[in-house]
Amino acid sequence: MVQHVQTSLAARTGRAWVVAAVAGAAIVAAGAFTTVPGLLISPLHHEYAWDRGQIALAASVNMIFFGFTAPFAAALMERAGIRRVAAGAMLLVAAGALLTTVMAAPWQLVVYWGVLIGLGSGCLTMTFAAMITGRWFVRRRGLVTGVLSASSHLGQLLFLPLLAWSVDRFGWRPPVVTLALTALAVSALVALFLRDHPADVGAPPYGGAHVVAKPAPARGAARRTVTALVDAARTGTFWLLAGMFAICGASTNGIMWSNWVPAAHDHGMHATAAASMLSLIGVFSALGAAVSGWLTDRFDPRHLLACCFTVRALTLVALPMVLSSTVQPSLIAVVVVYGLVDVATVPPVIALAQRRYGGDGPIVFGWANSAHQLGAGASAFLGATARDLFGTYDAVWAVLCAACVIAALTAPAVRVPRDRS
């Protein structure tokens, strides 16, 4: 009898891994859409004769909605349920992609790709990952957070080569439709297998000893999101986390995804070789995020953050010294190390937000993630502007290095309760 109960408990506890896998699939699918605008600029320019700036505006709007949807999505998930919001978000992404194939004006691209896909994918960010891990895991929480955080980059890695090949061979519409169908399939998986809380299946969280009662639906999602921000803004911890995450965004995807290829080209490197190095960063960022999550379970997240920013500062200093017309072992080494700390800051920041703000932790992290997107957007624009002014990216790497040093020194100053889970 006892053995039967233990077997039943293990089976129900294992449901947490099913939920995490489905959540990861949703994040992978949403992440794939972040790489598409760069592939569409030239095809849309040639087909419609639209200005490249008009086309790029859709990507900018997408980034804005992506960044500022996350905190509201976290509150909405607590009000309407994680499963409903995640499934609806995938449907919104699919609708935006399908409508893009029949558009006839630039403003429609902004609405379909910028607004609809920005809103949908913004619901399935690292805040979504924080909701899943916070409810379904007590043990291995940091590890699962790291793996889910890496899922977005995994989506880019899995789909980007196939999408680029498909656009060259078949035009831009078939791959967009394929992505839309993928989003629809994932929406069905979410509806079938994702559950809002372990109590829905009568199981304790993974690593927990008891079944935890499901919290009542939170009313006033938008009001709660704003209230959580106002309350958090009264604490120094929030500004430290938001400031570090803004520096994180500026020194990672903000500068790399938009300025890496032209920076490498300044040193004579061919665009294909530069793109391959960017993909290598993505490969090791996925690994680094998973390792960071594992380390977050075992060490003080503040010390882990300090180490990540220190290592990133060193790679940014070394980068202009190893860039050349060809891919050298020294460049590969810098790219690998940089990739390992690229997304590694996410699990410790999520852990600190959860420890300091409790139930509002995912929402507060969502606002910190908005700061990340603001830092990324500013870095993308200012980095390119600095290149125009100075004729080189050397000043950019130096400023970002200094910012990472400041973040490394700031991390130990974060004050949070000890994790007693």
Side-chain angles (χ1 to χ4, degrees), residues 35 86 92 113 132 167 188-189 192 242 253 298 339 346:
T35 62
L92 199 62
W113 204 278
I132 293 295
V167 168
L189 284 176
L192 289 172
N253 58 316
R298 289 159 174 78
V346 175

Side-chain angles (χ1 to χ4, degrees), residues 182-200:
T182 301
L184 289 174
V186 172
S187 179
L189 284 176
V190 168
L192 289 172
F193 297 107
L194 193 67
R195 292 296 181 268
D196 296 337
H197 196 276
D200 291 339

Side-chain angles (χ1 to χ4, degrees), residues 157 256-258 260-261 273-283 335:
L157 293 170
M256 292 300 184
W257 292 109
S258 57
W260 167 265
V261 174
S276 68
M277 290 295 98
L278 192 60
S279 296
L280 192 62
I281 289 175
V283 170
V335 163

Side-chain angles (χ1 to χ4, degrees), residues 169-244:
R169 189 174 180 86
F170 303 110
W172 66 272
R173 284 185 176 84
V176 168
V177 172
T178 300
L179 276 182
L181 295 178
T182 301
L184 289 174
V186 172
S187 179
L189 284 176
V190 168
L192 289 172
F193 297 107
L194 193 67
R195 292 296 181 268
D196 296 337
H197 196 276
D200 291 339
V201 295
Y206 182 82
H210 313 286
V211 176
V212 179
K214 183 178 180 178
R219 298 186 180 277
R223 182 174 64 253
R224 185 189 173 195
T225 301
V226 176
T227 300
L229 172 63
V230 172
D231 292 341
R234 296 192 179 104
T235 67
T237 298
F238 171 76
W239 293 109
L240 291 175
L241 293 178
M244 285 189 292

